[in-house]
Every structure is written in structure tokens, then in C-alpha cells.
Amino acid sequence: MAITFTDEDLMYLDKEQDTQLRSIRLAIDALKVKGNATFCKKCGHMMQYFSVGNARLMQCGFCDNRVAEMIEL
């Protein structure tokens, strides 16, 4: 289940939290547009990855789900 923030959610926060959540939302939207971000199939959080040889290893920092995929050269 992905975490989403709507404008209604943000109106109940103080100014500092509002600014932080808006910047997080913009950063995630920018990564989605670039297409180089991978999101966990279990929980919807962004996965961290690193490359080893011709494979990309990804791990979710929230639920510890792990996935490996081959990189086409």
C-alpha cells in the first residue's frame, strides 16, 4: 500500500511539517517522472539499490523486501 499525501492531509500540519512533506512529495514525483525509481510491490515504498556486475540489487527500507534484476547493456 503506497503512502500518498493529498492537499487535505497537509492542511492540518504546521508550516514546517507542511514544507517537509511537500518537498518529499515533489522529490518522489520527480523520481517517478525520470523512471529510474523502483517501488516495492509489497508496501509501495521506494527501494534502495546498488549494482553488482550486470545485476541490480534492490531492498526496501520499510519491509526489507529484496529483489534482483538483470541490467541489459
Side-chain angles (χ1 to χ4, degrees), residues 10-51:
L10 296 176
M11 69 186 225
Y12 297 107
L13 303 171
D14 65 2
K15 186 66 175 171
E16 182 179 334
Q17 289 175 330
D18 182 42
T19 305
Q20 289 174 347
L21 288 177
R22 283 187 193 276
S23 67
I24 290 170
R25 184 167 59 173
L26 290 174
I28 290 173
D29 289 344
L31 287 172
K32 285 181 180 178
V33 168
K34 285 182 186 177
N36 62 355
T38 304
F39 295 89
C40 182
K41 303 261 189 246
K42 283 178 148 180
C43 65
H45 287 85
M46 194 170 7
M47 298 182 84
Q48 300 169 342
Y49 70 90
F50 57 95
S51 298

Side-chain angles (χ1 to χ4, degrees), residues 33-72:
V33 168
K34 285 182 186 177
N36 62 355
T38 304
F39 295 89
C40 182
K41 303 261 189 246
K42 283 178 148 180
C43 65
H45 287 85
M46 194 170 7
M47 298 182 84
Q48 300 169 342
Y49 70 90
F50 57 95
S51 298
V52 176
N54 61 348
R56 189 162 93 170
L57 306 173
M58 296 169 281
Q59 180 175 358
C60 178
F62 186 75
C63 70
D64 289 331
N65 184 25
R66 294 183 183 148
V67 179
E69 67 182 26
M70 299 300 290
I71 300 171
E72 296 180 20

